[in-house]
Amino acid sequence: MKKHIFISGRVQGVGFRHFTKTSARSLGVNGWVRNLPDGRVEAVLQGDEQLVDQLIEKCKKGPRSAYVQNIEVEEEKGEESYTSFDVKF
């Protein structure tokens, strides 16, 4: 299962990428996360569907200093496979 998410709100400069990476690694979800120039955070999450959904639920709240307004979730179709969870710059 692979999902592509876009998170909007006050999600940059608040540790959101680190929060997502730490949460993903604790759940055993692979993929990546990065900031976008428009102020959103983008991530690709790959792993067991239930664990990916748990991570999305965590991202709906984010770290303490974040304010999440919206999360867009899309099914990701690509063949690319990830073996860890990383922060992209």
Side-chain angles (χ1 to χ4, degrees), residues 8-63:
S8 58
R10 190 177 67 236
V11 294
Q12 290 190 12
V14 294
F16 209 101
R17 290 175 300 169
H18 177 73
F19 168 85
T20 305
K21 179 180 81 172
T22 302
S23 298
R25 288 182 175 175
S26 72
L27 289 168
V29 173
N30 296 325
W32 54 264
V33 64
R34 69 177 170 192
N35 286 341
L36 293 174
D38 65 5
R40 296 180 299 162
V41 169
E42 173 186 26
V44 171
L45 315 175
Q46 181 181 51
D48 177 82
E49 184 173 7
Q50 188 174 8
L51 298 175
V52 168
D53 289 342
Q54 282 181 38
L55 181 54
I56 291 170
E57 287 302 311
K58 286 178 175 272
C59 287
K60 287 180 180 177
K61 294 185 174 83

